[in-house]
Amino acid sequence: MKTITSKGLNPHTFEIVDHVPAGFMIWNIPTDDMQGYLPLCEMMDPTNKKDFRINPDTLKAIKVEDNEALVNASLHGAGTLKKAKREMARIEKRIAEGKANRRNLHAYELIKKAMPQLEKIEWQ
């Protein structure tokens, strides 16, 4: 099993995988010391939308071209390909209704930039 360890005040060890396992999503943490790898996490309780704790024992990372674009998109609701498509559709609807604000437009651009890479990743 290959691993990569992040540096900093709170280092984490990630198992390197070739696809995103079911139940995992992009973990939006700083990735300066993980160039080329996208951090993935599993929520402790995925059924509880108010519980943001992750399982530190199951962290994964996947090799990607531009991890920064993907992490930035995840900050705006695009933690998985399915969520990215749903968020883009929601923002497109707001744009069509004339209700989109600057934050919506910024999020849309970040997610749009990340979509080609999100679609290249194998999601289970």
Side-chain angles (χ1 to χ4, degrees), residues 43-49 51 53:
M43 302 306 290
M44 285 292 246
D45 183 4
T47 60
N48 183 352
K49 299 296 181 195
D51 184 359
R53 295 174 302 140

Side-chain angles (χ1 to χ4, degrees), residues 56-100:
D57 299 325
T58 61
L59 299 175
K60 314 269 188 232
I62 189 167
K63 186 106 174 106
V64 294
E65 294 170 21
D66 181 9
N67 60 354
E68 186 177 344
L70 293 164
V71 170
N72 286 340
S74 76
L75 290 168
H76 295 279
T80 66
L81 178 60
K82 182 178 177 180
K83 287 180 181 180
K85 288 178 178 180
R86 185 175 61 221
E87 189 63 14
M88 283 190 71
R90 185 188 73 78
I91 296 170
E92 286 170 350
K93 181 179 176 187
R94 290 188 63 86
I95 291 169
E97 294 171 348
K99 296 180 181 178

